[in-house]
Amino acid sequence: MKIYSIFKSLQGEGLTIGAPTTFIRTSGCPLRCTYCDTQQAFDKGDQMTIEEVMGKIEKLKCAHVCLTGGEPLAQKDSPKLIKKLLEKGYQVVLETNGAMPLDDLPCVENLTISMDIKCPSSGEADKMLFENIELLGPTDQLKFIISNDEDYEYAKEIIEKHSPKCEVILTPVGGKVLRALAERVLKEGLNVRVLPQLHKFIWGDEDNR
Ligand code: SF4
């Protein structure tokens, strides 16, 4: 697998927010979102075997592991790595961009799929595979990154149309529009969670490993 970095930090997003977590950041992504803060991982990285990745994970001693990118499912060996991690008893979150099929993933407890739906401000909304939403269950999460009112309206429309069975999270880009987003969700009674990106509050852009 081509890996950009493996590091320990607090989970900054989603339902395990705040938990000490080992992050495996894979290289490469087929999308080019306007607000991407991990462009450094598009091309750079080192080839590692699954055994080498597992060895590094073990040394960092976290119960939580997050496979992120880039786009992890752009690498053919990601499902194998997820299976290994689950066999070793880790709580695994797979972060995926909504443009990749989810068919090859191990369907087991302890794997949380955290799937994005890219909104219009990303410039990549037309690449989403909406049929993936059907495959998400109660332990998974569907995440919308919100930059403006158009994104909010778009997210609302998708939620109403697809009625996801998983948790739905709205996160403002880099902490912007957080208050406006929170107030709109409360006013309109949307059944979602509004979560900031915790790592941006704590470390700003310093934690972009
Ligand atoms: S999917 Fe993620 S890694 Fe890929 S371009 Fe968009 S924000 Fe960046």
Side-chain angles (χ1 to χ4, degrees):
M1 300 183 68
K2 194 170 177 186
I3 303 291
Y4 178 76
S5 61
I6 297 178
F7 60 96
K8 184 169 166 176
S9 188
L10 295 186
Q11 176 57 268
E13 302 181 16
L15 299 179
T16 56
I17 192 166
T21 299
T22 299
F23 290 84
I24 307 167
R25 188 180 298 292
T26 56
S27 302
C29 179
L31 302 189
R32 291 293 179 267
C33 303
T34 50
Y35 47 71
C36 182
D37 59 2
T38 52
Q39 296 176 21
Q40 70 279 18
F42 285 165
D43 304 310
K44 293 183 191 145
D46 298 309
Q47 287 296 336
M48 293 177 76
T49 63
I50 289 180
E51 288 66 34
E52 286 168 337
V53 174
M54 293 299 294
K56 277 201 131 183
I57 301 298
E58 276 161 36
K59 281 190 193 142
L60 292 171
K61 298 189 189 305
C62 283
H64 293 270
V65 174
C66 178
L67 186 58
T68 188
E71 168 51 50
L73 296 183
Q75 309 235 3
K76 71 172 177 31
D77 282 341
S78 284
K80 280 190 219 157
L81 175 61
I82 292 168
K83 197 159 173 283
K84 279 263 179 216
L85 289 164
L86 293 169
E87 282 167 7
K88 287 279 181 188
Y90 292 107
Q91 296 275 336
V92 182
V93 175
L94 164 71
E95 294 186 337
T96 183
N97 62 22
M100 311 298 292
L102 301 181
D103 308 342
D104 288 341
L105 291 174
C107 289
V108 284
E109 273 178 52
N110 293 341
L111 171 62
T112 295
I113 300 171
S114 176
M115 192 182 88
D116 289 358
I117 291 289
K118 303 296 181 189
C119 294
S121 71
S122 70
E124 296 286 27
D126 60 333
K127 311 268 175 49
M128 297 299 98
L129 301 179
F130 292 109
E131 60 270 29
N132 278 344
I133 298 176
E134 277 294 303
L135 302 174
L136 301 177
T139 58
D140 299 318
Q141 55 196 40
L142 188 63
K143 202 171 68 195
F144 295 86
I145 302 288
I146 307 289
S147 286
N148 53 33
D149 284 346
E150 187 189 9
D151 285 353
Y152 177 85
E153 294 295 343
Y154 181 82
K156 200 171 147 188
E157 195 184 308
I158 300 293
I159 295 163
E160 282 168 5
K161 187 168 174 196
H162 294 273
S163 305
K165 297 184 286 297
C166 60
E167 294 281 352
V168 178
I169 295 167
L170 303 190
T171 293
V173 173
K176 281 189 289 178
V177 304
L178 179 58
R179 183 167 174 163
L181 180 59
E183 287 174 353
R184 248 193 117 171
V185 164
L186 286 171
K187 188 171 164 211
E188 297 178 16
L190 222 57
N191 186 20
V192 299
R193 294 183 190 216
V194 176
L195 289 178
Q197 292 175 305
L198 180 66
H199 51 295
K200 300 273 184 194
F201 273 102
I202 303 175
W203 293 292
D205 287 331
E206 282 171 45
D207 199 38
N208 270 0
R209 286 174 280 183

PDB file of all heavy atoms in Angstrom, residues 76-99:
ATOM      1  N   LYS A  76      -6.191  -0.907  -3.446  1.00  0.00           N
ATOM      2  CA  LYS A  76      -6.889  -2.206  -3.492  1.00  0.00           C
ATOM      3  C   LYS A  76      -6.726  -3.006  -2.199  1.00  0.00           C
ATOM      4  O   LYS A  76      -7.564  -3.846  -1.878  1.00  0.00           O
ATOM      5  CB  LYS A  76      -6.462  -3.007  -4.714  1.00  0.00           C
ATOM      6  CG  LYS A  76      -5.056  -3.561  -4.664  1.00  0.00           C
ATOM      7  CD  LYS A  76      -4.806  -4.503  -5.832  1.00  0.00           C
ATOM      8  CE  LYS A  76      -3.403  -5.041  -5.898  1.00  0.00           C
ATOM      9  NZ  LYS A  76      -2.654  -5.245  -4.675  1.00  0.00           N
ATOM     10  N   ASP A  77      -5.651  -2.769  -1.439  1.00  0.00           N
ATOM     11  CA  ASP A  77      -5.423  -3.567  -0.237  1.00  0.00           C
ATOM     12  C   ASP A  77      -6.100  -3.011   1.015  1.00  0.00           C
ATOM     13  O   ASP A  77      -5.990  -3.596   2.100  1.00  0.00           O
ATOM     14  CB  ASP A  77      -3.910  -3.703   0.029  1.00  0.00           C
ATOM     15  CG  ASP A  77      -3.291  -4.742  -0.903  1.00  0.00           C
ATOM     16  OD1 ASP A  77      -4.059  -5.573  -1.455  1.00  0.00           O
ATOM     17  OD2 ASP A  77      -2.067  -4.714  -1.083  1.00  0.00           O
ATOM     18  N   SER A  78      -6.818  -1.906   0.905  1.00  0.00           N
ATOM     19  CA  SER A  78      -7.455  -1.346   2.112  1.00  0.00           C
ATOM     20  C   SER A  78      -8.425  -2.321   2.784  1.00  0.00           C
ATOM     21  O   SER A  78      -8.390  -2.453   4.013  1.00  0.00           O
ATOM     22  CB  SER A  78      -8.146  -0.025   1.793  1.00  0.00           C
ATOM     23  OG  SER A  78      -7.173   0.986   1.677  1.00  0.00           O
ATOM     24  N   PRO A  79      -9.308  -3.027   2.029  1.00  0.00           N
ATOM     25  CA  PRO A  79     -10.194  -3.979   2.721  1.00  0.00           C
ATOM     26  C   PRO A  79      -9.418  -5.036   3.516  1.00  0.00           C
ATOM     27  O   PRO A  79      -9.813  -5.413   4.613  1.00  0.00           O
ATOM     28  CB  PRO A  79     -10.999  -4.612   1.576  1.00  0.00           C
ATOM     29  CG  PRO A  79     -11.012  -3.554   0.514  1.00  0.00           C
ATOM     30  CD  PRO A  79      -9.652  -2.915   0.601  1.00  0.00           C
ATOM     31  N   LYS A  80      -8.272  -5.491   2.963  1.00  0.00           N
ATOM     32  CA  LYS A  80      -7.458  -6.496   3.683  1.00  0.00           C
ATOM     33  C   LYS A  80      -6.898  -5.905   4.973  1.00  0.00           C
ATOM     34  O   LYS A  80      -6.876  -6.548   6.018  1.00  0.00           O
ATOM     35  CB  LYS A  80      -6.268  -6.942   2.812  1.00  0.00           C
ATOM     36  CG  LYS A  80      -6.634  -7.973   1.775  1.00  0.00           C
ATOM     37  CD  LYS A  80      -5.359  -8.526   1.130  1.00  0.00           C
ATOM     38  CE  LYS A  80      -5.594  -8.725  -0.349  1.00  0.00           C
ATOM     39  NZ  LYS A  80      -4.396  -8.743  -1.146  1.00  0.00           N
ATOM     40  N   LEU A  81      -6.439  -4.653   4.886  1.00  0.00           N
ATOM     41  CA  LEU A  81      -5.893  -4.007   6.087  1.00  0.00           C
ATOM     42  C   LEU A  81      -6.994  -3.838   7.144  1.00  0.00           C
ATOM     43  O   LEU A  81      -6.773  -4.093   8.335  1.00  0.00           O
ATOM     44  CB  LEU A  81      -5.295  -2.634   5.715  1.00  0.00           C
ATOM     45  CG  LEU A  81      -4.803  -1.785   6.888  1.00  0.00           C
ATOM     46  CD1 LEU A  81      -3.686  -2.489   7.673  1.00  0.00           C
ATOM     47  CD2 LEU A  81      -4.302  -0.416   6.412  1.00  0.00           C
ATOM     48  N   ILE A  82      -8.167  -3.436   6.715  1.00  0.00           N
ATOM     49  CA  ILE A  82      -9.283  -3.257   7.663  1.00  0.00           C
ATOM     50  C   ILE A  82      -9.584  -4.585   8.362  1.00  0.00           C
ATOM     51  O   ILE A  82      -9.762  -4.645   9.578  1.00  0.00           O
ATOM     52  CB  ILE A  82     -10.542  -2.736   6.916  1.00  0.00           C
ATOM     53  CG1 ILE A  82     -10.296  -1.309   6.432  1.00  0.00           C
ATOM     54  CG2 ILE A  82     -11.776  -2.803   7.809  1.00  0.00           C
ATOM     55  CD1 ILE A  82     -11.346  -0.793   5.451  1.00  0.00           C
ATOM     56  N   LYS A  83      -9.602  -5.656   7.574  1.00  0.00           N
ATOM     57  CA  LYS A  83      -9.895  -6.982   8.143  1.00  0.00           C
ATOM     58  C   LYS A  83      -8.858  -7.337   9.213  1.00  0.00           C
ATOM     59  O   LYS A  83      -9.196  -7.784  10.299  1.00  0.00           O
ATOM     60  CB  LYS A  83      -9.889  -8.005   7.003  1.00  0.00           C
ATOM     61  CG  LYS A  83     -10.541  -9.301   7.336  1.00  0.00           C
ATOM     62  CD  LYS A  83     -10.951 -10.020   6.040  1.00  0.00           C
ATOM     63  CE  LYS A  83     -11.464 -11.416   6.345  1.00  0.00           C
ATOM     64  NZ  LYS A  83     -10.435 -12.386   6.632  1.00  0.00           N
ATOM     65  N   LYS A  84      -7.587  -7.100   8.927  1.00  0.00           N
ATOM     66  CA  LYS A  84      -6.504  -7.390   9.889  1.00  0.00           C
ATOM     67  C   LYS A  84      -6.687  -6.589  11.164  1.00  0.00           C
ATOM     68  O   LYS A  84      -6.547  -7.096  12.276  1.00  0.00           O
ATOM     69  CB  LYS A  84      -5.136  -7.016   9.287  1.00  0.00           C
ATOM     70  CG  LYS A  84      -4.568  -8.028   8.376  1.00  0.00           C
ATOM     71  CD  LYS A  84      -3.572  -8.910   9.131  1.00  0.00           C
ATOM     72  CE  LYS A  84      -3.001  -9.966   8.204  1.00  0.00           C
ATOM     73  NZ  LYS A  84      -2.779 -11.233   8.853  1.00  0.00           N
ATOM     74  N   LEU A  85      -6.990  -5.300  10.996  1.00  0.00           N
ATOM     75  CA  LEU A  85      -7.160  -4.420  12.164  1.00  0.00           C
ATOM     76  C   LEU A  85      -8.320  -4.905  13.034  1.00  0.00           C
ATOM     77  O   LEU A  85      -8.228  -4.941  14.266  1.00  0.00           O
ATOM     78  CB  LEU A  85      -7.416  -2.980  11.705  1.00  0.00           C
ATOM     79  CG  LEU A  85      -6.222  -2.253  11.083  1.00  0.00           C
ATOM     80  CD1 LEU A  85      -6.683  -1.010  10.311  1.00  0.00           C
ATOM     81  CD2 LEU A  85      -5.201  -1.860  12.156  1.00  0.00           C
ATOM     82  N   LEU A  86      -9.409  -5.301  12.383  1.00  0.00           N
ATOM     83  CA  LEU A  86     -10.581  -5.778  13.135  1.00  0.00           C
ATOM     84  C   LEU A  86     -10.269  -7.093  13.844  1.00  0.00           C
ATOM     85  O   LEU A  86     -10.669  -7.301  14.991  1.00  0.00           O
ATOM     86  CB  LEU A  86     -11.779  -5.940  12.191  1.00  0.00           C
ATOM     87  CG  LEU A  86     -12.326  -4.627  11.605  1.00  0.00           C
ATOM     88  CD1 LEU A  86     -13.315  -4.923  10.486  1.00  0.00           C
ATOM     89  CD2 LEU A  86     -12.981  -3.784  12.680  1.00  0.00           C
ATOM     90  N   GLU A  87      -9.519  -7.956  13.175  1.00  0.00           N
ATOM     91  CA  GLU A  87      -9.141  -9.237  13.810  1.00  0.00           C
ATOM     92  C   GLU A  87      -8.313  -9.001  15.067  1.00  0.00           C
ATOM     93  O   GLU A  87      -8.370  -9.759  16.009  1.00  0.00           O
ATOM     94  CB  GLU A  87      -8.328 -10.098  12.831  1.00  0.00           C
ATOM     95  CG  GLU A  87      -9.190 -10.796  11.788  1.00  0.00           C
ATOM     96  CD  GLU A  87      -8.376 -11.383  10.635  1.00  0.00           C
ATOM     97  OE1 GLU A  87      -7.114 -11.367  10.689  1.00  0.00           O
ATOM     98  OE2 GLU A  87      -9.012 -11.834   9.669  1.00  0.00           O
ATOM     99  N   LYS A  88      -7.531  -7.928  15.066  1.00  0.00           N
ATOM    100  CA  LYS A  88      -6.690  -7.618  16.239  1.00  0.00           C
ATOM    101  C   LYS A  88      -7.479  -6.875  17.315  1.00  0.00           C
ATOM    102  O   LYS A  88      -6.940  -6.475  18.335  1.00  0.00           O
ATOM    103  CB  LYS A  88      -5.492  -6.747  15.813  1.00  0.00           C
ATOM    104  CG  LYS A  88      -4.447  -7.496  15.039  1.00  0.00           C
ATOM    105  CD  LYS A  88      -3.540  -8.280  15.976  1.00  0.00           C
ATOM    106  CE  LYS A  88      -2.469  -9.028  15.202  1.00  0.00           C
ATOM    107  NZ  LYS A  88      -1.700  -9.932  16.063  1.00  0.00           N
ATOM    108  N   GLY A  89      -8.767  -6.606  17.053  1.00  0.00           N
ATOM    109  CA  GLY A  89      -9.622  -6.007  18.090  1.00  0.00           C
ATOM    110  C   GLY A  89      -9.659  -4.480  18.108  1.00  0.00           C
ATOM    111  O   GLY A  89     -10.205  -3.886  19.040  1.00  0.00           O
ATOM    112  N   TYR A  90      -9.102  -3.830  17.102  1.00  0.00           N
ATOM    113  CA  TYR A  90      -9.164  -2.351  17.068  1.00  0.00           C
ATOM    114  C   TYR A  90     -10.569  -1.889  16.689  1.00  0.00           C
ATOM    115  O   TYR A  90     -11.295  -2.575  15.954  1.00  0.00           O
ATOM    116  CB  TYR A  90      -8.171  -1.798  16.036  1.00  0.00           C
ATOM    117  CG  TYR A  90      -6.728  -1.999  16.398  1.00  0.00           C
ATOM    118  CD1 TYR A  90      -5.948  -2.950  15.737  1.00  0.00           C
ATOM    119  CD2 TYR A  90      -6.136  -1.241  17.414  1.00  0.00           C
ATOM    120  CE1 TYR A  90      -4.614  -3.146  16.071  1.00  0.00           C
ATOM    121  CE2 TYR A  90      -4.798  -1.447  17.753  1.00  0.00           C
ATOM    122  CZ  TYR A  90      -4.053  -2.389  17.076  1.00  0.00           C
ATOM    123  OH  TYR A  90      -2.735  -2.593  17.421  1.00  0.00           O
ATOM    124  N   GLN A  91     -10.947  -0.724  17.206  1.00  0.00           N
ATOM    125  CA  GLN A  91     -12.173  -0.046  16.774  1.00  0.00           C
ATOM    126  C   GLN A  91     -11.780   0.767  15.545  1.00  0.00           C
ATOM    127  O   GLN A  91     -10.966   1.694  15.668  1.00  0.00           O
ATOM    128  CB  GLN A  91     -12.654   0.931  17.850  1.00  0.00           C
ATOM    129  CG  GLN A  91     -13.058   0.267  19.151  1.00  0.00           C
ATOM    130  CD  GLN A  91     -14.489  -0.214  19.094  1.00  0.00           C
ATOM    131  OE1 GLN A  91     -15.288   0.297  18.329  1.00  0.00           O
ATOM    132  NE2 GLN A  91     -14.804  -1.211  19.897  1.00  0.00           N
ATOM    133  N   VAL A  92     -12.308   0.420  14.400  1.00  0.00           N
ATOM    134  CA  VAL A  92     -11.815   1.017  13.153  1.00  0.00           C
ATOM    135  C   VAL A  92     -12.853   1.954  12.536  1.00  0.00           C
ATOM    136  O   VAL A  92     -14.027   1.599  12.418  1.00  0.00           O
ATOM    137  CB  VAL A  92     -11.451  -0.084  12.127  1.00  0.00           C
ATOM    138  CG1 VAL A  92     -10.891   0.528  10.850  1.00  0.00           C
ATOM    139  CG2 VAL A  92     -10.457  -1.068  12.729  1.00  0.00           C
ATOM    140  N   VAL A  93     -12.389   3.149  12.172  1.00  0.00           N
ATOM    141  CA  VAL A  93     -13.213   4.054  11.365  1.00  0.00           C
ATOM    142  C   VAL A  93     -12.563   4.173   9.994  1.00  0.00           C
ATOM    143  O   VAL A  93     -11.362   4.435   9.887  1.00  0.00           O
ATOM    144  CB  VAL A  93     -13.303   5.473  12.000  1.00  0.00           C
ATOM    145  CG1 VAL A  93     -14.055   6.421  11.067  1.00  0.00           C
ATOM    146  CG2 VAL A  93     -13.996   5.412  13.352  1.00  0.00           C
ATOM    147  N   LEU A  94     -13.358   3.926   8.967  1.00  0.00           N
ATOM    148  CA  LEU A  94     -12.888   4.144   7.598  1.00  0.00           C
ATOM    149  C   LEU A  94     -13.506   5.443   7.103  1.00  0.00           C
ATOM    150  O   LEU A  94     -14.734   5.565   7.049  1.00  0.00           O
ATOM    151  CB  LEU A  94     -13.340   2.990   6.697  1.00  0.00           C
ATOM    152  CG  LEU A  94     -13.237   3.292   5.197  1.00  0.00           C
ATOM    153  CD1 LEU A  94     -11.784   3.330   4.742  1.00  0.00           C
ATOM    154  CD2 LEU A  94     -14.023   2.278   4.379  1.00  0.00           C
ATOM    155  N   GLU A  95     -12.667   6.405   6.753  1.00  0.00           N
ATOM    156  CA  GLU A  95     -13.178   7.659   6.184  1.00  0.00           C
ATOM    157  C   GLU A  95     -13.083   7.575   4.667  1.00  0.00           C
ATOM    158  O   GLU A  95     -11.989   7.356   4.122  1.00  0.00           O
ATOM    159  CB  GLU A  95     -12.363   8.847   6.704  1.00  0.00           C
ATOM    160  CG  GLU A  95     -12.553   9.043   8.201  1.00  0.00           C
ATOM    161  CD  GLU A  95     -11.893  10.297   8.748  1.00  0.00           C
ATOM    162  OE1 GLU A  95     -10.926  10.824   8.135  1.00  0.00           O
ATOM    163  OE2 GLU A  95     -12.333  10.756   9.815  1.00  0.00           O
ATOM    164  N   THR A  96     -14.224   7.728   4.001  1.00  0.00           N
ATOM    165  CA  THR A  96     -14.229   7.602   2.536  1.00  0.00           C
ATOM    166  C   THR A  96     -15.028   8.748   1.926  1.00  0.00           C
ATOM    167  O   THR A  96     -15.908   9.315   2.586  1.00  0.00           O
ATOM    168  CB  THR A  96     -14.741   6.204   2.111  1.00  0.00           C
ATOM    169  OG1 THR A  96     -14.666   6.086   0.697  1.00  0.00           O
ATOM    170  CG2 THR A  96     -16.161   5.942   2.578  1.00  0.00           C
ATOM    171  N   ASN A  97     -14.705   9.072   0.683  1.00  0.00           N
ATOM    172  CA  ASN A  97     -15.167  10.355   0.138  1.00  0.00           C
ATOM    173  C   ASN A  97     -16.532  10.338  -0.561  1.00  0.00           C
ATOM    174  O   ASN A  97     -16.976  11.347  -1.075  1.00  0.00           O
ATOM    175  CB  ASN A  97     -14.104  10.930  -0.808  1.00  0.00           C
ATOM    176  CG  ASN A  97     -13.833  10.046  -2.013  1.00  0.00           C
ATOM    177  OD1 ASN A  97     -14.659   9.224  -2.386  1.00  0.00           O
ATOM    178  ND2 ASN A  97     -12.669  10.228  -2.624  1.00  0.00           N
ATOM    179  N   GLY A  98     -17.191   9.180  -0.603  1.00  0.00           N
ATOM    180  CA  GLY A  98     -18.530   9.115  -1.204  1.00  0.00           C
ATOM    181  C   GLY A  98     -18.512   8.814  -2.689  1.00  0.00           C
ATOM    182  O   GLY A  98     -19.562   8.600  -3.286  1.00  0.00           O
ATOM    183  N   ALA A  99     -17.313   8.767  -3.270  1.00  0.00           N
ATOM    184  CA  ALA A  99     -17.213   8.516  -4.710  1.00  0.00           C
ATOM    185  C   ALA A  99     -16.722   7.099  -5.011  1.00  0.00           C
ATOM    186  O   ALA A  99     -16.497   6.755  -6.162  1.00  0.00           O
ATOM    187  CB  ALA A  99     -16.255   9.527  -5.342  1.00  0.00           C
TER     188      ALA A  99
END
